[in-house]
Amino acid sequence: MHPSSTQMNRFSSSAASSSTSHPLGSDITVANLHEHSLLTNDLLAEDDPVIQQEILHLIGEYMASIPGPGLPHTLASLKEEMDLRSREEDERESERERLSGRMLDGDWPEAERLLAADPGLVRNPKAFLYKLYRQQFLELIEARESQKAFNLLLRRLKPLEHYQSYPTEFRDLSYLLSARAVSEAGESFDGWKWGGPAEGREELVEVLRGMQMHTTSQDSIGMGVVGRNEGGRGEGGGSSSDATPYVPPNRLMTLLRQAAAWQVYFSRYHPKVLPTIHTLLHDYTPFVLPNQLKDTYKNHSANVKAVAFLGASGTRLISGSSDATLSIVSTTSTPLTGPSRLLGHTSRIWDVDSTESGSFAASASGDGTVRIWETEKEGKCLAVLGGASREGDVYSVRWGRGKNEVVTGGYDKILKLYDVERGQIVKTFTGHTQPVTSTVFGPEGKVLVSGSTDRQIKVWDVSSGVLVHSIASSLGEISSVDIDHKGHHLLVSSKDNSNTLFDLRMFGRQLKRFGTHQNTSRNFIRSKFAHSSLIVGGSEDGLVYLWSQDQSEPLQTLQGHGRGAVYDVVWNDAQQLLASCGEDRTVRTWVWEAEKGEEEGKAQGGDASS
């Protein structure tokens, strides 16, 4: 679905001209729209049977407009089903009239039989049955037939007591057994309109009408409604309740285009070229390209090898350095309430990762260990994994889906899956012939991918430990691997100055190579998926690179780290924030600024400096 430029211009002009008079004011944003009635049932009466009927007609019109095998048959089946429902509703309405008549006549056995025969006469048949028994009970009290009233109360009303109108109603009904008439009960029944059997029965019929199923007659849908005005809403307006409504051509698609245009217009980031919307199941997510330096953190005394957001919220960053320390900083104006520095490693830190909640972090170090940290209170080291069982540096660590599993890779060429709580290895994955430099779990945690300096990419089944697939290509030594959120694509950084995209669904078929940046045998330069369309990565030339999955050349570069390599980058959706770290001993964050993007014309490409 792709709104035309004309449609978008009209929509934008209309929205802009009406912003000052809008009930939400001129500061309308996607964020505050969710706090107002524009996105609630107050705007669209979705429970209205007329709206429900029109939706069915829209579906029918859309189905009738699509050529192809099977659709005419499906449309005919839908029409037949709606006609059947219409006939059933006509019959049900006749039964409701009979039920109303029986209640007005006081023929309670027949009324009860009609309800039992078709519970669909009312929305909640048991709740209505309670009201019907209550009416009988009151009439028996008025007729001074105490024994019959007692039997009805015990056998009929008591099992339905939880449908009472107020918490003490059943108790008050029981009290009436000792009274000669309802009128003698005093204030307990002031709220009950009681003027004898006739008025009570009429009130019960009104209750029936209020509780009946809201369905309307349905004549036809889809075929034949396009272009028809007779009997429907014609050129001069007017309508007929018993005729097929007129559905304008392509009305459903028009409404969906308007919805997509609304999402694009009110998004935070306004693209220079209109996007193509590929899904209706999720709201439009803007294609954000950071173009401005936000913050610089100088908390390390040596180069910073790795950086990660602590949790999905993106309010905190953790970084690992060659000074053997971990640093935690706030990415918002809210000061940190937990630890700011984690100490314990005795050698450089190669990699860091966090649980989804951000409460726990893991760090991989040149001291041969992986340490598990609590990050919200005192920053305690909860476990030390490896050490005696690990030979050489640990280059990579990644959490599994929960907080109890991490996988590591390092100089000893072996992937090790740890149970964090027990501090024990539960599975090993062997097959690489050189050090493992990077590991990553698939989105569901069932697949594990590893990269190595042996230039091999291996895909493992986590539960069995079996090697599923090995990708051998003409790449250089692997410095990082990453999987997109759908689990479809694999991004590989290698020391031949390239980032390469593979399709995991096609047994690792190579799709595209992204270049221009620098990644040689000197450093571990990592690249990652930012969102569904954007790839971000570091480089030895001191720049942060951003690529679109559709283009080999960079969309944008970010200057700010100065001389020396940018080792790692990471993106956070919640904050729309990019973080990077490098040889200059700093961690930097990057955002998109509208004024800078418009001034330099770089919303869709080019260089942006800090």
Side-chain angles (χ1 to χ4, degrees):
M1 180 177 63
H2 192 176
S4 67
S5 299
T6 303
Q7 289 171 326
M8 270 301 296
N9 289 336
R10 288 175 180 172
F11 180 85
S12 301
S13 301
S14 173
S17 63
S18 63
S19 62
T20 56
S21 60
H22 197 281
L24 297 182
S26 59
D27 294 330
I28 184 171
T29 65
V30 172
N32 61 34
L33 276 175
H34 288 275
E35 302 173 3
H36 297 81
S37 61
L38 280 182
L39 296 181
T40 70
N41 293 344
D42 297 340
L43 181 66
L44 181 66
E46 58 188 52
D47 293 332
D48 190 323
V50 174
I51 294 292
Q52 295 173 349
Q53 175 74 359
E54 289 178 350
I55 290 174
L56 292 175
H57 282 286
L58 287 171
I59 294 172
E61 187 271 339
Y62 178 72
M63 293 175 64
S65 68
I66 298 180
L71 284 181
H73 176 72
T74 304
L75 182 60
S77 298
L78 182 59
K79 179 180 181 299
E80 181 180 348
E81 176 66 22
M82 294 180 67
D83 289 342
L84 177 61
R85 289 175 55 190
S86 178
R87 290 193 298 272
E88 289 177 347
E89 182 55 30
D90 289 342
E91 295 173 359
R92 184 165 286 158
E93 187 60 33
S94 175
E95 288 298 293
R96 289 195 192 101
E97 292 299 323
R98 288 182 59 194
L99 176 59
S100 298
R102 300 291 78 78
M103 290 190 301
L104 291 173
D105 292 340
D107 188 353
W108 306 118
E110 178 63 13
E112 187 176 350
R113 186 194 68 79
L114 290 172
L115 271 176
D118 187 0
L121 292 176
V122 292
R123 275 204 185 100
N124 193 332
K126 290 187 177 180
F128 182 75
L129 197 57
Y130 172 84
K131 298 180 183 298
L132 185 144
Y133 290 147
R134 186 185 65 177
Q135 177 66 25
Q136 295 180 59
F137 178 82
L138 294 174
E139 293 188 15
L140 288 173
I141 293 296
E142 285 294 305
R144 299 184 180 181
E145 298 187 34
S146 300
Q147 186 59 45
K148 290 183 179 180
F150 174 77
N151 291 336
L152 182 67
L153 182 75
L154 186 63
R155 298 177 181 177
R156 295 288 188 268
L157 282 167
K158 178 61 177 175
L160 301 174
E161 180 182 355
H162 54 287
Y163 290 106
Q164 58 189 344
S165 303
Y166 59 91
T168 63
E169 184 179 48
F170 185 80
R171 186 193 65 185
D172 294 340
L173 288 172
S174 302
Y175 169 75
L176 286 176
L177 290 173
S178 62
R180 290 179 297 177
V182 174
S183 58
E184 294 182 6
E187 296 181 358
S188 297
F189 299 95
D190 282 351
W192 294 5
K193 290 173 56 180
W194 183 256
E199 185 174 341
R201 292 172 185 177
E202 290 172 0
E203 183 180 357
L204 191 61
V205 170
E206 289 301 316
V207 172
L208 171 66
R209 291 171 182 168
M211 294 180 67
Q212 72 183 43
M213 298 291 188
H214 288 294
T215 54
T216 57
S217 177
Q218 307 172 47
D219 296 86
S220 64
I221 61 169
M223 292 181 287
V225 300
V226 179
R228 272 179 47 185
N229 290 325
E230 59 274 17
R233 188 170 63 86
E235 296 291 339
S239 62
S240 173
S241 60
D242 58 352
T244 301
Y246 169 71
V247 180
N250 299 316
R251 179 59 181 164
L252 180 61
M253 293 306 301
T254 298
L255 291 173
L256 294 176
R257 288 191 186 98
Q258 290 173 355
W262 180 89
Q263 292 178 19
V264 172
Y265 180 79
F266 286 113
S267 66
R268 175 187 174 192
Y269 177 78
H270 291 264
K272 299 298 182 183
V273 179
L274 285 179
T276 300
I277 308 300
H278 292 285
T279 177
L280 295 174
L281 302 181
H282 305 282
D283 287 348
Y284 164 73
T285 301
F287 187 91
V288 177
L289 290 180
N291 60 1
Q292 179 68 46
L293 178 67
K294 179 177 181 287
D295 293 307
T296 300
Y297 304 94
K298 300 178 179 179
N299 299 323
H300 292 288
S301 59
N303 61 60
V304 186
K305 297 290 189 184
V307 64
F309 284 96
L310 282 173
S313 67
T315 58
R316 295 181 300 158
L317 272 171
I318 185 170
S319 56
S321 167
S322 290
D323 63 10
T325 70
L326 293 152
S327 173
I328 299 177
V329 297
S330 172
T331 62
T332 67
S333 57
T334 304
L336 279 178
T337 57
S340 61
R341 186 169 294 275
L342 307 178
L343 304 175
H345 283 296
T346 59
S347 183
R348 71 184 64 189
I349 295 170
W350 288 105
D351 198 12
V352 292
D353 195 26
S354 159
T355 58
E356 189 173 355
S357 67
S359 300
F360 302 93
S363 56
S365 171
D367 61 16
T369 68
V370 166
R371 289 179 177 260
I372 307 299
W373 309 88
E374 175 274 313
T375 66
E376 294 183 334
K377 298 179 182 178
E378 301 177 7
K380 291 183 178 180
C381 179
L382 303 177
V384 179
L385 310 177
S389 62
R390 174 71 71 173
E391 296 180 3
D393 294 29
V394 185
Y395 296 126
S396 176
V397 61
R398 284 293 177 269
W399 285 96
R401 296 197 67 187
K403 69 175 185 178
N404 293 327
E405 284 186 343
V406 295
V407 66
T408 67
Y411 185 79
D412 63 3
K413 313 169 191 176
I414 301 173
L415 283 80
K416 297 182 180 181
L417 185 66
Y418 284 89
D419 182 306
V420 173
E421 289 186 354
R422 293 186 295 162
Q424 297 178 355
I425 298 173
V426 294
K427 196 175 272 82
T428 59
F429 305 81
T430 58
H432 283 293
T433 59
Q434 293 294 327
V436 176
T437 56
S438 184
T439 56
V440 63
F441 282 100
E444 297 181 356
K446 298 179 180 179
V447 171
L448 179 64
V449 177
S450 59
S452 167
T453 56
D454 64 7
R455 306 187 180 190
Q456 297 282 318
I457 307 152
K458 295 187 182 295
V459 183
W460 312 84
D461 178 76
V462 175
S463 61
S464 65
V466 172
L467 178 64
V468 177
H469 187 63
S470 185
I471 304 173
S473 63
S474 57
L475 304 178
E477 296 179 358
I478 309 301
S479 57
S480 74
V481 292
D482 194 28
I483 298 178
D484 69 357
H485 72 282
K486 294 181 179 179
H488 294 169
H489 295 138
L490 174 69
L491 178 65
V492 178
S493 297
S494 53
K495 296 181 181 180
D496 58 354
N497 294 331
S498 70
N499 296 324
T500 308
L501 190 66
F502 294 90
D503 191 334
L504 289 175
R505 298 165 297 179
M506 299 295 291
F507 301 101
R509 182 170 66 92
Q510 183 173 317
L511 298 177
K512 190 176 294 293
R513 296 187 72 166
F514 309 94
T516 307
H517 69 297
Q518 296 176 18
N519 183 10
T520 67
S521 59
R522 178 184 171 195
N523 298 296
F524 281 167
I525 304 296
R526 298 183 174 106
S527 64
K528 293 173 183 175
F529 289 100
H531 51 69
S532 58
S533 302
L534 189 63
I535 291 170
V536 294
S539 175
E540 291 176 354
D541 59 10
L543 301 178
V544 177
Y545 282 76
L546 300 92
W547 294 271
S548 165
Q549 286 195 28
D550 300 326
Q551 301 178 21
S552 297
E553 296 301 313
L555 289 173
Q556 188 162 282
T557 59
L558 303 173
Q559 300 177 9
H561 278 282
R563 304 179 67 178
V566 175
Y567 293 122
D568 198 7
V569 289
V570 63
W571 170 264
N572 181 262
D573 274 327
Q575 300 293 327
Q576 298 283 279
L577 193 64
L578 180 69
S580 60
C581 64
E583 197 170 353
D584 64 350
R585 306 179 182 182
T586 68
V587 173
R588 298 174 187 261
T589 56
W590 311 83
V591 293
W592 176 74
E593 294 291 347
E595 293 182 0
K596 185 177 181 65
E598 292 171 2
E599 177 185 343
E600 299 185 4
K602 295 183 176 67
Q604 292 297 323
D607 292 345
S609 66
S610 60

